[in-house]
Amino acid sequence: MPRSQRLGNRPKNGPDTQVPNRSGFLTFTPMTKTSLRDIPSADLIGRRLLVRADLNVPMEDGRITDDTRVRETLPTLRLLKARGARTVVISHLGRPKGPDPALSLRGVADLLCDSMGGTVRFHPGLVGPEARAAVDALDDGAVLVLENTRFDAGETKNAPELARALADLADVFVNDAFGAAHRAHASTTGVAAEVRRRGGKAVAGLLLYKELEVLGSLLREPERPFVAILGGVKVSGKVEVIRALLPRVDRLLVGGAMANTFLRALGLELGQSLVEEDKVKLGRRILRDAGDRLVLPVDCLVAKRIEDGAAVRVVPRDSVQPDDCIGDIGSASRELFSGLLNDARTVFWNGPMGVFEMAAFQEGTIAVARAVAVETDRGALTVVGGGDSAAALNVAGVADKVTHVSTGGGASLEFLAGEQLPGVAALSDR
Ligand code: ADP
Ligand code: MG
């Protein structure tokens, strides 16, 4: 029987800590870090629980285009509410350089409020006397969302002052932000260390714990063939991650702007396409070591400009013109990638194959999403990571046809590459 049937309707977003693996359900193996479940209920009533959530949802013109991350953190928030904790939620949203009304968390707090039965409040500040007063005014079971952590310059610098000010708001710190666990910021590692220094606990939330379990199963004993697909545009660090991932997988398919660095390493003309020039040398070395395990697109969908309604052409990868811009993988690459996914037993996918937000450039991403869904139906364990990749699953209409949608793109990649996630390392040991 295919695994997807064996597993039945598992509670995808539920607080249940059951994780699918090759033998069906597997309950959590003990982790070395403390989780929210380790704290007795009696120790939560009336206590201030500072929850670092990942509310970094994709936005377009001030609208939330995908609410996956908000939904996924609900089990933790609902558990705390039910236990009578005083919950304070912090998160970053986007990449503001300072206070920026367009990136306020107010809209996300409104969405969260709807999801929690109208009981969530928002305070337009992060630390300081007013935030402190808002937290002190909380009733048992209440939930308060504070403003975007990145409005404070200390966040990305992991400034000790900000970590201390955040720790002032917490009796217990809960990290539920898997999507930010690969960053050592004040709201992830700094505050955790400070809360522990003061004798408090810093624990993993239900979502963070679930993510570590599912992704951990890909590292422990993946059923083979294990195929990884990488794409997208986020370049910083991804090339290095590819190198670390290669020995763990049977095939690594690379598309999106990510592939351009490697195509350039092959000496190809890429016109106006996005290329990470300072990684080309590294790309060349990786290609040499990887052999046929690393698979690149053989053709590209190009346009003179990446815009809605652009006139597009499919060209072999060695025929991109100087005024062309690559917006997606081509039709031959779609077939190549789908074929290589055929009969995979374990699949990990992060990053769209093209600019899937525009209809003209979404075929490659949709083809990969559908191929992953087919393998899920055939019983493969399929994991998709990354905010845009999760949104792409929705565009392709197969969001419920993968085993697990991870809320972390960069974090899941670094975890699979075998790196320590600072946000996890900073939590209290068991
Ligand atoms: P995720 O959020 O799933 O981790 P990324 O953020 O790394 O993925 O990448 C998603 C973005 O990559 C999308 O906005 C998409 O438009 C962009 N992208 C994919 N391929 C290309 C390309 N060839 N040129 C420019 N942008 C691309
Ligand atoms: Mg993204």
Side-chain angles (χ1 to χ4, degrees), residues 69 231-235 238 255-258 260 274 306 325-328 350-357 385-390 408-410:
R69 286 178 165 171
V233 72
K234 237 180 291 146
V235 277
K238 265 199 191 173
M258 177 97 266
N260 296 350
L274 280 181
I306 304 294
C325 196
I326 299 173
D328 194 5
N350 168 250
M353 298 293 100
V355 186
F356 78 102
E357 296 92 337
D388 290 294
S389 307

Side-chain angles (χ1 to χ4, degrees), residues 90 154-160 162-163 166 173 183-192:
I90 55 173
E155 164 72 326
T156 54
K157 290 186 206 133
N158 194 5
L162 180 57
L166 288 171
F173 175 68
R183 308 208 187 284
H185 288 172
S187 72
T188 59
T189 59
V191 63

